[in-house]
Amino acid sequence: MPASTTTAQPTQPTQAKPKPHAKETVVSLAIAFVLAFVFRGFVLEGFMIPTGSMAPTLMGAHERVTGPTSGYTWQVGPWDFLDSGGSVPAPTQTDLRLTDPMTGAPLAVPSTPRLSGDRIFVLKYLPGLYDPARWDSVVFRYPGDPRNNYIKRLVALPGEHVALVDGDVFTTKQATSGWTDASWAIARKPERVQRELWQDVFDTRFAPEDPVRDGRRWFARPFTAETPGLSLDAERTYRVETAEPTTLAWDEGARPITDYYAYNQTPPTRGAAIFPVSDIASLMAIEPDSDGMSAVVRLTARNHVFRAQISPDSLRIQMRPLGETDWQDLASEPLSSPVLRAGRTTAIEFWHADQAIWLFANGDQIARVEYEMSPAERLRAATGIDLADDAQHESVEQNTGRGVNRIANPASYSLAQLAWSFMGSTATIHRARVQRDVHYQPGHFGATDADTGKPHPRAGKPSLATHPTTTLKLTGEQYFMCGDNSPASADGRLWAAPHPWIADQVDPTPGVVNKELLVGKAFVVYFPAPHPTRFIPIPDAGRVRFIW
C-alpha cells in the first residue's frame, strides 16, 4: 500500500502586540484621577476624628487602659500636650492617675502611648437622593471656622422647635408658647442607635475575683441583697437560694447612676458636671433550677415607679406616680411558653429610654411600650419645677444666671433606683449589668468666645435649647447637632455667633448648622486608632465597625 502523506498547512504569522502610546496612558490616568475626585467629591470621603467629643462612639486622640483587677478596658482623653493650648497631644502620655470605672480602684499609669483618632468613611449627602436623618453621626463644616470639619450627632431637623430636657430631645413643628405646649413629642432612638449609645455603669463580668486586700474589703459591690435568700459571695455570679420572693437592689448611694464618662478623667475634662440619669438599661442572665420562675424589674425615676413582670404565662409592664398605689397597665399579654426555663440561661434586658420601656430575652424583643410627657411635665417629674405654676415659671425665666439656674443644677435631679425580684425557683444569676443612655446636659455659656477670645455676649446665660428661655426654632435649612460626650462637647448648645463669612454668606444664626455646611453621614470606622509612632501604622482590626 502506498504510504500516506500529510500536507503541511502554512503557518499563520504571529501578530505583534501594539505598543502602548504615551498619550493613551496619560488619558487613562487622567480618567482614573477624575473618577477618583468625582467619587470623593460626591460619594465617599475619608476623615480622621480629632477629639473625644463623640466618645465613646468615636475616638479622637486617646489612651487605652485596662484595669488590672477587673480586666475592663476603656479609653481616656489625652493627658499631656505639646502646646500650651492643649490641642497637640504628646505621642507618649505619662503619669496618668485614673480610676477603674468597674471597681473604683485607683490606677497609676507611668507611661502609655497616645493612639491616633479613628479614621472614618463619610457617605456624602445628595439632596433629594440621600438626605440627613435624625440620629445620624454627621460631618459638617464648623460654622465658627469653616476651615474645620466637625462631627456630631444630628438631633433636630429643619422646621422643628427643639428642647433638651432631663437629657432627652423634644421637638415640635407647631407654633408653641413654651415647654407647656401639648404639641411637643420626645424624639425616640431606633433600637440599633440605642444599643450603640448605651454606656457601661457596671458589669459583673468585670468584678474583681479577689475583693479583699490585706484583710480588708476594698471593692464595694453595687448590688445588694435587699431581702434574705440571695447569696452574693461570688463576685461575678449570684445565687437565689429560695423560691420565696427575693430582691437584688442597686445601691444608688454607693454607685449613683450618672452621666459620668470614664473617658473624661484627664485634666482638661475632669471637672465636667455630672448629672443623674434616668434612662437606664439592666441585664440579668438567669438560670432557674426548676420551671415556674418569675422575675420583676422595678425602676424608680422621674417621680414615678416603672415595673416589668415576667411570669411563666404572661408579661406585664406598669407605671404609677411615686406615693400612689394604683398601677397603670402599659402592656399586658399572655405568653405561649415561659421565658425562664429550668436549666437554661436566659438574658433578660430591661430598657427605660426616651419615655419608652423595652424588654428583651436573649436579644429578641418581647415587649415595647411608650408613655408621654411634655417638656414641662418631664421637668416637673425630674426636678419638681412646675412651669404651669405662674410664680415658678416667672422665677425660672428670671433666674437664669450661673449658680441660680435650677434646671442646670445637678442637685435638682434625683437618683434613679433599680431592683430585680425573683420568685418561684432557686436560680443562678450568671451576669448582672447596668448601663445608662447618652444624656444631653444643660449648661451655661462661658465668659469668652472660644473662637475669637472676646467676651461672650451671652456669658452666664443658659445654653441653647436647655432652658425655656433658649428654646431653638430651626428654619427649613437648619439642623441642630450635639456630641455623644455631652459634658465635653463643644456643640450647638454652646456655639457663639458663626464666622463672619458664614454669617454673611450662609446663615447668621448661632448654634445651628445650615444645610449648605453639611458634608455627609459617618458610616464606618475603617482604620481604628492606629499607633502614631510606628513607621507603618497598624490599625486595631477588631474595632473596625459600622457607625450608628
Side-chain angles (χ1 to χ4, degrees):
M1 295 180 59
S4 60
T5 60
T6 302
T7 304
Q9 298 295 323
T11 303
Q12 296 294 326
T14 301
Q15 294 183 352
K17 295 181 179 178
K19 293 182 179 181
H21 294 287
K23 178 180 178 181
E24 294 175 352
T25 302
V26 171
V27 170
S28 297
L29 289 174
I31 292 173
F33 275 111
V34 168
L35 290 176
F37 280 111
V38 169
F39 190 78
R40 180 182 182 273
F42 294 97
V43 182
L44 198 68
E45 187 173 355
F47 291 88
M48 187 180 76
I49 305 299
T51 71
S53 68
M54 285 290 287
T57 310
L58 296 169
M59 292 294 168
H62 66 281
E63 300 83 61
R64 192 171 302 157
V65 184
T66 299
T69 58
S70 66
Y72 184 72
T73 298
W74 74 99
Q75 296 80 25
V76 294
W79 189 277
D80 298 321
F81 295 87
L82 300 178
D83 64 320
S84 59
S87 59
V88 183
T92 299
Q93 303 282 301
T94 59
D95 197 26
L96 277 68
R97 295 289 185 266
L98 306 173
T99 300
D100 188 327
M102 287 294 113
T103 66
L107 177 62
V109 181
S111 177
T112 187
R114 182 263 295 165
L115 302 179
S116 297
D118 290 332
R119 286 167 168 79
I120 63 173
F121 277 135
V122 172
L123 188 62
K124 299 295 186 72
Y125 291 124
L126 298 174
L129 296 177
Y130 182 58
D131 293 316
R134 197 189 318 275
W135 308 119
D136 282 356
S137 293
V138 176
V139 171
F140 55 92
R141 291 188 291 277
Y142 172 45
D145 185 351
R147 296 171 297 178
N148 295 328
N149 291 314
Y150 273 26
I151 181 168
K152 306 291 178 188
R153 195 170 294 276
L154 193 162
V155 301
L157 298 166
E160 293 182 337
H161 296 69
V162 57
L164 305 179
V165 186
D166 190 26
D168 282 340
V169 180
F170 290 78
T171 65
T172 178
K173 286 198 171 184
Q174 298 184 24
T176 173
S177 58
W179 286 8
T180 57
D181 197 276
S183 64
W184 288 96
I186 194 166
R188 296 185 170 94
K189 295 181 283 293
E191 179 184 340
R192 190 182 294 273
V193 173
Q194 186 63 68
R195 286 194 181 275
E196 180 75 17
L197 292 180
W198 287 126
Q199 298 183 36
D200 292 336
V201 177
F202 178 72
D203 193 323
T204 54
R205 295 183 303 169
F206 303 104
E209 293 184 345
D210 185 5
V212 178
R213 183 182 299 137
D214 299 328
R216 299 182 62 182
R217 184 180 181 89
W218 62 270
F219 170 64
R221 184 191 300 114
F223 283 107
T224 61
E226 195 173 83
T227 57
L230 277 163
S231 172
L232 308 184
D233 295 335
E235 298 300 327
R236 300 191 177 186
T237 59
Y238 302 150
R239 181 71 188 162
V240 180
E241 302 284 6
T242 175
E244 297 300 314
T246 58
T247 299
L248 183 66
W250 180 264
D251 188 347
E252 71 276 0
R255 185 74 72 89
I257 301 175
T258 67
D259 65 345
Y260 167 78
Y261 282 78
Y263 183 93
N264 295 341
Q265 293 191 54
T266 51
T269 53
R270 184 178 285 168
I274 297 174
F275 281 75
V277 175
S278 297
D279 281 3
I280 295 168
S282 183
L283 176 147
M284 293 278 166
I286 308 166
E287 181 186 5
D289 295 327
S290 59
D291 289 333
M293 186 174 191
S294 299
V296 179
V297 195
R298 184 180 72 249
L299 175 67
T300 302
R302 300 173 190 152
N303 204 39
H304 284 73
V305 183
F306 304 90
R307 183 170 70 180
Q309 300 172 293
I310 302 175
S311 302
D313 57 357
S314 65
L315 63 82
R316 175 176 292 179
I317 301 175
Q318 301 171 301
M319 66 179 290
R320 63 173 173 81
L322 194 62
E324 297 188 8
T325 57
D326 293 334
W327 292 92
Q328 174 189 353
D329 280 349
L330 301 178
S332 181
E333 56 187 76
L335 294 173
S336 57
S337 61
V339 174
L340 298 171
R341 298 181 183 177
R344 187 181 73 175
T345 300
T346 303
I348 303 296
E349 288 181 82
F350 170 88
W351 291 7
H352 174 249
D354 301 333
Q355 295 179 184
I357 296 172
W358 311 57
L359 283 177
F360 299 86
N362 290 333
D364 295 327
Q365 181 183 315
I366 58 175
R368 183 183 182 279
V369 295
E370 301 173 353
Y371 64 93
E372 302 300 334
M373 290 181 179
S374 68
E377 291 169 333
R378 175 70 171 270
L379 184 67
R380 182 174 66 249
T383 66
I385 299 172
D386 189 355
L387 297 181
D389 184 299
D390 291 339
Q392 285 204 49
H393 192 285
E394 183 178 357
S395 174
V396 165
E397 296 233 347
Q398 290 178 350
N399 298 328
T400 58
R402 186 183 299 277
V404 181
N405 179 5
R406 292 166 58 194
I407 294 175
N409 184 356
S412 298
Y413 300 81
S414 58
L415 293 170
Q417 302 172 15
L418 176 70
W420 286 74
S421 297
F422 312 98
M423 60 209 74
S425 173
T426 57
T428 300
I429 300 172
H430 294 280
R431 183 186 180 192
R433 182 184 71 193
V434 173
Q435 298 175 300
R436 58 90 174 175
D437 194 11
V438 65
H439 185 90
Y440 297 117
Q441 288 189 352
H444 300 87
F445 286 96
T448 59
D449 183 339
D451 295 318
T452 65
K454 298 179 180 180
H456 200 295
R458 295 182 58 85
K461 298 297 183 181
S463 49
L464 295 177
T466 67
H467 191 277
T469 61
T470 62
T471 301
L472 273 180
K473 179 182 179 181
L474 304 176
T475 70
E477 298 183 342
Q478 295 173 342
Y479 296 83
F480 188 61
M481 312 283 186
C482 290
D484 287 357
N485 186 351
S486 176
S489 174
D491 54 38
R493 293 168 297 170
L494 293 170
W495 289 339
H499 187 276
W501 184 88
I502 294 294
D504 182 59
Q505 300 294 324
V506 182
D507 195 328
T509 311
V512 305
V513 176
N514 190 278
K515 70 176 184 179
E516 298 297 327
L517 302 178
L518 297 180
V519 176
K521 174 185 177 180
F523 78 98
V524 68
V525 177
Y526 72 92
F527 201 81
H531 193 297
T533 60
R534 291 175 179 158
F535 181 71
I536 301 177
I538 300 176
D540 182 356
R543 289 180 57 79
V544 173
R545 62 199 184 276
F546 288 106
I547 301 168
W548 302 104

